[in-house]
Amino acid sequence: MPARGGRWDGFWEQRARQLQRQLQAKEERLVEAETENAVLHLRLAQYREMIKKSGGETTQVHVQCGDQKPLQRPGPLAASRLRLVAQRLKRDVEVLHSWSLGLFRRYQDAQRDCLSEIVTAVQRAPLCHEALPPAGPLEAGCLERSLQEMTERYQQERRERRRLHNTLVELRGSIRVHCRLRPVLPFDDEFRGPGSQNSPVSGAVAHALDDETILVECSRPGRPLINKTYTFERVYGPAESQRAVFEDVCPLLTSFLDGYDVCIMAYGQTGSGKSFTMLGPRPEQDPALPSGPHGHLGIIPRAAGEVFRLLAENPSRRPEVDVSVVEVYNNDICDLLAKDSCAVVSRAKCQVLTTTEGRKEVSGLTRESVQSAVELMTLVAAALRLRTKQATAVHADSSRSHLVITVTLTAAASSCSTADRQSDQSPPAELRGPTPRRPAPGRRPGAARTVSSVSPRTRGLGQGSQGPGGQVLSKLQLVDLAGSECVGVSGVTGSALRETSLINRSLAALADVLGALSEGRGHIPYRNSTLTHFLQDALGGDAKLQVIVCVSPCQKHVAETLQSLGFGARVRQVERGRPAPRKPRR
Ligand SMILES: Nc1ncnc2c1ncn2[C@@H]1O[C@H](COP(=O)(O)OP(=O)(O)OP(=O)(O)O)[C@@H](O)[C@H]1O
């Protein structure tokens, strides 16, 4: 907004410029007049010369006449005619002269008037400024009104954007499958499984043809080369950045805030880039905090940053964010945030329970309340230090467990969320559940709280904390699965062999569940594995599920790559009902 003084200065500047333009136009006309004057002076001089000449001629005529008087005297008629011409010329010259003088004077007056107008205007400027009525409150009122209008329009646009976004995600299907092809890396040459010593390992046989298609060259000794192509909603080539991957999953976080359950899961063989995609490089040694440099951050730290950024946009929702971190190791669920009575980490084992509403919950799981992305990632980094790892012939830092980070949001429903629009329907019985549980007053962020098998659906803030639009209760699960591996290639033995076998079995169970879902079978074998039992709500429920299939480009991994791509293709065939936001409490 221009300052009041500045506005009037602007006005007078504009006025002075206008007057200057007028002055300039008049000056031009003056020059024209002066030129005309000069022409007239010239013509006057010419007439004078002509008169003089005609006078001389007359005298000459007279002389001649006198000389020849006796012979031929001019008639009195001719002489009087000449006199008349001379007089007429003289009169014309006088008229022209006075006209040009008048013109000159008129222009001189106009110029004087212009100048005095400018001077008066400039002199009056400060006076006018002082004499003006106080415009401040009036102007401020106008500005406030227009600001309010703009804010309302902005909110309307945001509501529309959210609505379109959720429709788009729903139209795309509640399960989306992306594929990420990692680059050939130095360790691809370092680790060679038995029997692969003589085969070229760093030659890439998998290629991203475009951003929806991946091609794998399948060659077998003595057989012609076969190219297999797979299409997914999105295929990332080896050069694509962490940011590009996150940008595509980021809209799901808006859904999470709108009350949808969301699950983002990385699947693939060992060493294919799942942890890199989900967490970034080596986050447990160098905790990938969203406040740090963002270059290589994976989906989890970026999602943490985005969730809290979105929540900060609407603090009136009074959000509460809890986080739990578990690993599914050897078919057991271990709570990576659990501590014993001496506050020492205990990796307590937990069980999956089915709540009265038929949802899956982990009993006795530690949930930590967090108030920022940095707090959330600090907890994740601490949990990752406990995650089971083992060096294999394929990958020096191989994760031996499935990692599941669950972020639970409890907040007043946003006035512009899809959840809120759907809340027009009467809430289901389970949402009018038992006495709402308030968070312990004064509980510090990060202070542990143990939650029993009470479903988040039945949890909520007290009546006093409820927003006018009810409450949103939603769950974001971020899953970094353990890698499938071929024992012959990874070269594991002893206890690691058992781990590998259990990892492969749980992944096979996952494939079975998705296969059963894609075929629309009546019985879905969730209970065949702890992993699928735990993830049942995300796999077969009404959550939005995003699977990122990670694959290696190397020849030596081609069998596992084809298996992973086949898994991704199968997941794409799963048809479920449209995802629904969890209905808010009223
Ligand atoms: N897109 C990529 N760009 C650069 N480096 C990558 C990429 N993907 C993976 N890597 C690197 O490859 C190595 C293996 O990746 P990562 O640890 O993510 O594999 P993984 O699939 O999680 O393996 P595992 O299942 O055995 O834990 C890591 O050193 C990682 O930094």
Side-chain angles (χ1 to χ4, degrees):
M1 181 189 96
R4 193 168 149 231
R7 203 172 77 93
W8 286 107
D9 287 347
F11 169 77
W12 286 115
E13 255 173 44
Q14 209 177 348
R15 181 79 183 120
R17 270 201 299 276
Q18 198 180 2
L19 291 169
Q20 256 169 353
R21 272 199 300 278
Q22 282 178 5
L23 183 65
Q24 207 173 347
K26 287 182 176 171
E27 269 171 355
E28 273 162 18
R29 282 166 65 195
L30 193 65
V31 171
E32 269 171 30
E34 278 171 353
T35 316
E36 268 179 60
N37 269 353
V39 172
L40 289 172
H41 276 293
L42 204 68
R43 281 174 64 188
L44 188 64
Q46 281 171 348
Y47 281 128
R48 279 197 179 128
E49 189 59 30
M50 278 169 66
I51 291 164
K52 214 165 127 191
K53 236 175 155 181
S54 66
E57 273 172 8
T58 314
T59 325
Q60 233 177 0
V61 169
H62 271 293
V63 171
Q64 279 175 5
C65 287
D67 287 347
Q68 295 171 10
K69 213 179 216 170
L71 297 173
Q72 23 173 251
R73 291 179 80 89
L77 201 65
S80 67
R81 214 185 294 138
L82 276 170
R83 256 198 306 279
L84 277 174
V85 169
Q87 276 166 3
R88 212 172 46 234
L89 280 171
K90 210 175 162 185
R91 257 201 322 273
D92 281 354
V93 167
E94 277 164 7
V95 169
L96 270 170
H97 189 238
S98 69
W99 179 80
S100 63
L101 264 178
L103 196 69
F104 183 62
R105 282 197 193 108
R106 275 212 312 279
Y107 279 119
Q108 265 188 335
D109 291 345
Q111 189 182 12
R112 240 193 331 270
D113 290 348
C114 277
L115 271 170
S116 69
E117 235 181 295
I118 290 170
V119 171
T120 326
V122 171
Q123 282 169 349
R124 280 182 53 204
L127 292 173
C128 287
H129 186 193
E130 278 163 24
L132 276 170
L138 208 67
E139 270 179 36
C142 285
L143 284 169
E144 254 168 42
R145 266 195 302 283
S146 59
L147 188 67
Q148 207 174 336
E149 274 167 28
M150 291 293 279
T151 314
E152 274 163 22
R153 273 182 58 194
Y154 170 70
Q155 295 291 357
Q156 214 173 332
E157 290 302 318
R158 273 187 60 197
R159 277 197 288 274
E160 185 59 9
R161 186 179 62 80
R162 275 167 180 270
R163 195 185 63 75
L164 288 173
H165 155 75
N166 283 323
T167 313
L168 191 73
V169 172
E170 278 159 37
L171 285 175
R172 278 186 193 153
S174 55
I175 300 186
R176 284 189 294 165
V177 186
H178 292 184
C179 173
R180 187 175 202 189
L181 176 64
R182 72 154 168 81
V184 174
L185 295 166
F187 70 80
D188 285 324
D189 278 326
E190 284 163 22
F191 296 107
R192 288 166 179 240
S196 63
Q197 268 74 1
N198 301 321
S199 62
V201 288
S202 50
V205 294
H207 313 275
L209 287 189
D210 54 43
D211 62 5
E212 287 182 348
T213 320
I214 183 165
L215 176 143
V216 185
E217 298 163 14
C218 311
S219 62
R220 284 213 211 139
R223 300 251 183 105
L225 183 84
I226 301 171
N227 289 338
K228 289 197 176 183
T229 56
Y230 295 82
T231 52
F232 297 101
E233 274 81 34
R234 180 74 162 84
V235 170
Y236 306 98
E240 293 212 50
S241 66
Q242 297 279 72
R243 206 179 105 211
V245 176
F246 176 69
E247 270 170 10
D248 288 330
V249 300
C250 187
L252 288 171
L253 302 175
T254 312
S255 298
F256 168 56
L257 262 73
D258 277 358
Y260 289 84
D261 284 345
V262 170
C263 177
I264 302 170
M265 175 191 292
Y267 177 97
Q269 80 154 127
T270 179
S272 59
K274 298 179 297 297
S275 303
F276 182 83
T277 299
M278 293 304 290
L279 292 151
R282 296 186 158 268
E284 69 281 17
Q285 281 162 28
D286 173 24
L289 300 176
S291 58
H294 276 48
H296 289 298
L297 292 185
I299 288 173
I300 293 170
R302 284 174 198 262
E306 181 64 7
V307 163
F308 280 95
R309 192 189 68 74
L310 291 171
L311 287 174
E313 278 183 2
N314 198 351
S316 62
R317 294 182 68 188
R318 278 172 289 173
E320 281 204 358
V321 181
D322 287 341
V323 63
S324 67
V325 186
V326 302
E327 70 170 354
V328 182
Y329 175 67
N330 282 355
N331 226 20
D332 288 327
I333 295 179
C334 299
D335 182 350
L336 298 184
L337 297 183
K339 291 193 176 109
D340 62 18
S341 53
C342 304
V344 175
V345 285
S346 61
R347 300 180 94 257
K349 284 188 189 172
C350 309
Q351 296 291 320
V352 181
L353 298 176
T354 307
T355 65
T356 44
E357 301 101 45
R359 299 182 71 82
K360 300 299 159 202
E361 281 293 314
V362 177
S363 64
L365 187 63
T366 309
R367 284 201 187 136
E368 299 269 8
S369 168
V370 285
Q371 295 193 340
S372 72
V374 172
E375 269 180 31
L376 195 158
M377 285 314 297
T378 306
L379 287 172
V380 170
L384 285 173
R385 285 186 208 109
L386 303 175
R387 190 182 181 190
T388 315
K389 301 237 166 168
Q390 161 94 40
T392 72
V394 176
H395 182 200
D397 202 21
S398 180
S399 315
R400 314 305 290 165
S401 65
H402 310 294
L403 177 81
V404 183
I405 298 168
T406 306
V407 182
T408 309
L409 171 71
T410 311
S414 163
S415 57
C416 50
S417 72
T418 314
D420 192 39
R421 282 194 306 283
Q422 299 214 2
S423 74
D424 290 338
Q425 304 151 13
S426 58
E430 76 252 27
L431 295 177
R432 295 190 295 266
T435 317
R437 195 168 60 78
R438 272 180 190 277
R443 187 159 55 85
R444 281 185 298 105
R449 74 184 197 189
T450 303
V451 174
S452 68
S453 60
V454 178
S455 158
R457 276 189 173 220
T458 61
R459 289 194 307 115
L461 305 177
Q463 292 296 325
S465 303
Q466 286 184 15
Q471 279 194 312
V472 161
L473 302 158
S474 50
K475 198 161 71 171
L476 169 67
Q477 284 183 310
L478 302 157
V479 187
D480 178 21
L481 293 171
S484 58
E485 63 191 71
C486 172
V487 175
V489 174
S490 63
V492 289
T493 53
S495 64
L497 194 58
R498 183 165 180 270
E499 277 170 6
T500 304
S501 149
L502 286 166
I503 291 170
N504 287 345
R505 270 169 58 185
S506 60
L507 292 171
L510 180 64
D512 284 347
V513 163
L514 290 160
L517 284 167
S518 66
E519 288 162 19
R521 273 189 248 152
H523 172 70
I524 312 293
Y526 293 113
R527 284 174 181 260
N528 281 0
S529 144
T530 307
L531 177 72
T532 48
H533 193 199
F534 179 33
L535 295 178
Q536 181 172 336
D537 293 340
L539 300 172
D542 51 12
K544 294 187 180 188
L545 175 60
Q546 167 83 62
V547 177
I548 303 174
V549 176
C550 296
V551 291
S552 153
C554 302
Q555 165 69 53
K556 69 171 180 177
H557 299 139
V558 73
E560 292 288 345
T561 298
L562 289 172
Q563 186 279 325
S564 297
L565 295 172
F567 171 87
R570 189 133 41 125
V571 177
R572 286 194 77 202
Q573 284 162 15
V574 176
E575 278 180 21
R576 304 185 309 178
R578 282 155 66 106
R582 290 227 209 167
K583 303 217 172 104
R585 288 175 61 91
R586 279 197 179 274

